[in-house]
Amino acid sequence: MPLANFIPTADDYLRYLPEIILTVVGVVIMFLEAVGGERRKPALGWLAGAGLLAAIWGSVVALGVGGTGFQNMVIVDGFATFFRILVLVIGLLTIVSSTQYLDREKANAGEFHALLLFSIAGQCVMASANELIMVFIGLEISSIASYILAGYLRDDRRNNESALKYFLLGSFATAFLLYGVAWVYGLTGSTNLAEVRRVLMTPESAPNLVLMGTAAALMFVGFAFKVSAAPFQVWAPDVYQGAPAPVSAFMSTGPKAAAFAVFLRVFITAFGPIATRWEPFVWGSAIATMIVGNFAALTQTNIKRLLAYSSIAHAGYVLVAVTAHSEIGTAAAMFYLAAYAFMQIGAFAVVTWFSRQGEKFVNVDDLAGLGERQPMVAAMLTIFLLSLIGVPLTGGFFGKFYIFRAALDSNLVWLTVIGLLNSAVAAYYYLRLIVVMYMKEPGAATENIGPVSAGLRVAILGSALATLVLGIFPSLVLDFAGRSAALVK
Amino acid sequence: MPELPLPTSVPLSWYLLLSAILFALGIAGFLYRRNIITVFMSIELMLNAVNLSFVTFSYKLKQVDGHIFSFFVMVVAAAEAAVGLAIILTVFKNRRTLEVDEIDSMKY
C-alpha cells in the first residue's frame, strides 16, 4: 500500500472532532492551572463546560461525515454518536454538581476538570472504536484518569482506599481484556471488529471454537469488571462509597455507559457469529448481577454504598438487554443507560449537597425529616428514587419496559421473570429512603442545612427534568436509539 | 516484510505456553500476595505475558500489527505505573502500611 493512503484526510479529523476538542481543552486547562493565579480557578470550570458543549457540537458535526476513519480504526455512526453525547452530557452534569463540593473541601479545581475531560475523551474513543486497539486505548485513557479522580482528595483516607482498589482491580481486569485481545488476534489474524466477524462467518477459515470461546470469555471478564457485573462486581461498593460524591456519580454512569457501548459493539459485531456460545455466560452473569446488587442493597445503611449496589443491579438489567443480542435489545440498552445516568447523577447530586463538608452525613437515617425541612430537594430525590424503582412516568419505567420486552422477543422468558422479581425487591430499599425522608421525625442531620448551590441546583433540576421527559416522551430518545442500533456493517 | 528464518530449536507454541504460565503466575500473585507493591508487580507480569503472546502471534502471522499492539501495551503500562505508584504513595503516607488486608476502612 502506498504511504499516501496512511495520511489521514480532513474528514478523518472531523470524525474525531469531539476527542480532539476534549484533549485540547484539557491540556489548556492544565496549562492555565499552572500559570493562572488562585483568582482564575473558577474560570477553569466554565472553560471545561464550554469544552464539553463544543464537543457535543463536534459529535453532531462528526455524525454529518459519518463512516469509518483512520484506516477503519474508528467508526462514527448513530450508535457512537449516541454514546458520545451521553458521556458528554454526563460530564456537564458532573461539572455543575462538583463546583460546590470542590469549594467546600478546599480542593484545587484545575486538574479536576482536566482529568474529567481526559476521562470523557477516553470514553468517546471507546464509543467510536472499530478496532480492539482503540477499545483498549479508550478504556485505559478513561480508566487512568478516573483512578486519579477517585482519590482526588489526597489527604482523605477513604479517597485513598477507593483509588487504590479501583486502580488495582481495574488494571487486573484490563490484563484479562488484553489477553483476550491477544488470542482473538492470534486466532483470526486481525483486530478489526468487522474483519474478526468476517473470519468467524467463513466456515473454511473459522478458528477453533473452543479457543475462540476462551478468548471471548477473557474479554468478557475485562468488560464485566468495567461495568461491575457479577461475579466481578466486588470493587464497586467500596470504590463508590469512598470516592468524592460527584466523582462516584460520574464513575457509576460515564465509564459504565462507555464500557457497555464497547461491550455491545465487540460482542454483537465481532462475536456475533458465535452468539450462541457466549449467550449462556452473559445470561448467567445478568441474573447473578441483578440478585447480588439488589439483595446486598437491602441491608445497607450508607446511602452512597446503597446507590453503589443499586448501580450493580442496574448493570444487571442492561446485561439482560445484551443477552437478547437483537436490534431492539441494543436500543433498549442505549435508552436504559441514558435514563439511568440521569437518575443516578440526580440522586448523587442530592447526596453531594446533603453530606456536607468531609461527607459527614451519608447514612440513610440522616435523611430523616428532609421532606419537612427541605420539601423541594426531597421531592427531587423522590423522583430519582421512583425512577430507579421503575415507576411509570419516569425514565426508569420505560427503560425496564423496553429491556424486558426485548428479552421476551428473544425468548428469554426466565430471565425476564427473574428480572421483574428483582425490580420488586429493589422497590423495598428505594422506598425505605422515601419513608425515612417523609415519615421520620427530623433529626440533627437536617438541622442548619445550607441552601443548595446554584451549580447543584442546575444538576438536580436538569436530571429531574430529563428523567421526567424520558418517562413521558420516551420516543425522543428511543427513536434515535432504534435507528442507530443496527451495529453490524 | 523479508522472510525470516523460522526458529528450529524452540517451537512457537512453547512461547504461547510460557505466556500462559506467566499470566497465570500474575493472577496467582495478585490473589495471594499481601503487599501492594507485589500485587502491582503481578499485574505488570500479566501485561508482559500478554505482550509475549502478541509478539508470538505477530511472528507466526508475519504481520507487524501484533508488534505495534505490544508497544501500545508498554506505553499504557508505563502510564498506569506512574498513576498507580502515586496512588500507592498517598496510601502509604496516610496509613503507614502497605498490607492489602489493612486497607479496609469501608463498612459493610
Side-chain angles (χ1 to χ4, degrees):
Chain A
M1 221 189 291
L3 193 63
N5 285 5
F6 289 97
I7 296 170
T9 61
D11 277 357
D12 282 352
Y13 288 115
L14 278 183
R15 290 186 188 110
Y16 235 42
L17 204 52
E19 286 84 351
I20 294 171
I21 293 174
L22 288 173
T23 316
V24 169
V25 176
V27 173
V28 167
I29 289 177
M30 280 177 74
F31 177 72
L32 292 179
E33 159 76 30
V35 300
E38 277 301 313
R39 261 178 331 109
R40 300 230 189 104
K41 291 280 154 62
L44 297 177
W46 288 102
L47 183 58
L52 287 168
L53 284 174
I56 292 177
W57 166 79
S59 316
V60 177
V61 172
L63 184 62
V65 287
T68 57
F70 296 105
Q71 310 296 323
N72 275 333
M73 295 293 267
V74 302
I75 179 163
V76 178
D77 50 7
F79 184 79
T81 309
F82 182 91
F83 279 103
R84 274 175 171 177
I85 292 179
L86 177 60
V87 293
L88 290 167
V89 171
I90 289 172
L92 277 175
L93 289 172
T94 309
I95 284 183
V96 288
S97 62
S98 61
T99 45
Q100 190 195 20
Y101 189 91
L102 293 172
D103 285 345
R104 188 171 82 196
E105 309 291 340
K106 297 179 184 55
N108 211 338
E111 65 243 25
F112 180 89
H113 294 118
L115 287 168
L116 194 66
L117 290 192
F118 291 145
S119 180
I120 294 168
Q123 288 151 29
C124 287
V125 172
M126 286 159 84
S128 57
N130 193 31
E131 169 96 18
L132 294 172
I133 291 192
M134 298 304 286
V135 169
F136 166 65
I137 293 174
L139 199 68
E140 282 303 286
I141 297 174
S142 153
S143 303
I144 291 178
S146 14
Y147 299 151
I148 310 175
L149 284 176
Y152 186 68
L153 307 173
R154 278 199 295 275
D155 300 323
D156 185 295
R157 286 164 63 96
R158 285 172 302 179
N159 271 230
N160 287 164
E161 180 172 340
S162 163
L164 181 73
K165 287 182 174 164
Y166 196 29
F167 163 69
L168 286 179
L169 289 162
S171 343
F172 187 56
T174 308
F176 277 94
L177 180 85
L178 265 182
Y179 201 42
V181 173
W183 276 92
V184 171
Y185 172 63
L187 291 167
T188 61
S190 174
T191 47
N192 187 287
L193 299 182
E195 182 62 21
V196 170
R197 179 187 180 82
R198 200 189 54 74
V199 173
L200 290 178
M201 293 279 266
T202 355
E204 307 87 69
S205 63
N208 183 327
L209 274 182
V210 175
L211 286 177
M212 198 61 213
T214 314
L218 284 166
M219 289 193 69
F220 173 72
V221 172
F223 289 137
F225 257 107
K226 296 289 172 188
V227 301
S228 68
F232 311 105
Q233 88 296 352
V234 277
W235 58 273
D238 280 1
V239 171
Y240 296 165
Q241 184 191 342
V247 175
S248 303
F250 173 71
M251 288 192 303
S252 61
T253 50
K256 192 174 266 191
F260 264 116
V262 283
F263 190 1
L264 283 164
R265 177 113 52 197
V266 170
F267 273 68
I268 291 180
T269 305
F271 299 151
I274 52 166
T276 48
R277 305 242 159 191
W278 57 256
E279 199 195 278
F281 294 97
V282 183
W283 187 89
S285 176
I287 286 185
T289 311
M290 287 188 291
I291 291 178
V292 168
N294 281 320
F295 281 87
L298 289 178
T299 56
Q300 296 308 319
T301 53
N302 181 307
I303 306 172
K304 281 169 85 185
R305 205 171 175 85
L306 187 146
L307 286 174
Y309 278 112
S310 111
S311 117
I312 295 173
H314 286 278
Y317 301 132
V318 183
L319 277 177
V320 171
V322 179
T323 316
H325 68 87
S326 58
E327 259 178 49
I328 52 168
T330 308
M334 291 161 78
F335 182 86
Y336 198 88
L337 285 165
Y340 160 78
F342 292 117
M343 51 209 192
Q344 181 85 354
I345 288 185
F348 263 114
V350 175
V351 175
T352 305
W353 162 75
F354 186 78
S355 60
R356 274 154 287 169
Q357 214 217 332
E359 299 201 8
K360 281 193 289 287
F361 301 103
V362 281
N363 281 330
V364 172
D365 295 331
D366 291 338
L367 285 174
L370 192 69
E372 199 175 299
R373 294 235 163 103
Q374 294 279 345
M376 192 60 192
V377 188
M380 293 294 149
L381 185 55
T382 307
I383 292 178
F384 300 132
L385 293 171
L386 290 177
S387 180
L388 286 163
I389 298 174
V391 170
L393 292 184
T394 60
F397 168 74
F398 277 108
K400 283 207 177 69
F401 175 76
Y402 293 129
I403 281 183
F404 292 131
R405 203 189 60 180
L408 280 180
D409 277 0
S410 300
N411 290 322
L412 300 165
V413 179
W414 278 108
L415 197 55
T416 313
V417 171
I418 294 170
L420 286 172
L421 288 176
N422 262 286
S423 319
V425 173
Y428 171 77
Y429 58 84
Y430 294 126
L431 285 175
R432 194 169 53 126
L433 289 183
I434 299 179
V435 167
V436 169
M437 271 196 304
Y438 285 101
M439 305 197 178
K440 287 262 176 73
E441 286 300 307
T446 43
E447 265 174 52
N448 305 325
I449 190 161
V452 185
S453 76
L456 270 175
R457 206 171 291 169
V458 171
I460 294 174
L461 288 176
S463 309
L465 190 69
T467 305
L468 291 176
V469 166
L470 287 178
I472 299 168
F473 308 107
S475 55
L476 287 178
V477 171
L478 195 75
D479 282 351
F480 185 78
R483 263 183 283 127
S484 43
L487 285 178
V488 184
K489 280 274 157 70
Chain B
M1 222 160 73
E3 195 67 26
L4 296 171
L6 278 170
T8 46
S9 49
V10 185
L12 280 181
S13 56
W14 289 26
Y15 289 95
L16 293 179
L17 197 64
L18 174 66
S19 154
I21 291 170
L22 285 176
F23 193 81
L25 282 175
I27 298 175
F30 183 90
L31 295 177
Y32 294 111
R33 285 302 177 133
R34 299 273 63 103
N35 184 296
I36 299 174
I37 303 276
T38 322
V39 168
F40 178 56
M41 279 163 62
S42 305
I43 296 173
E44 295 292 309
L45 184 63
M46 290 165 78
L47 292 180
N48 283 318
V50 172
N51 272 347
L52 185 59
S53 286
F54 269 122
V55 174
T56 312
F57 283 129
S58 191
Y59 188 86
K60 177 172 153 272
L61 295 163
K62 297 197 171 58
Q63 293 177 349
V64 283
D65 302 33
H67 295 282
I68 296 169
F69 216 130
S70 70
F71 277 111
F72 276 113
V73 175
M74 280 184 230
V75 170
V76 166
E80 224 171 47
V83 168
L85 289 175
I87 290 173
I88 295 174
L89 261 181
T90 57
V91 169
F92 182 72
K93 253 168 56 187
N94 279 337
R95 294 178 194 245
R96 296 277 145 202
T97 178
L98 280 178
E99 290 295 303
V100 177
D101 297 332
E102 287 173 35
I103 318 275
D104 57 353
S105 61
M106 309 283 174
K107 282 185 227 74
Y108 285 83

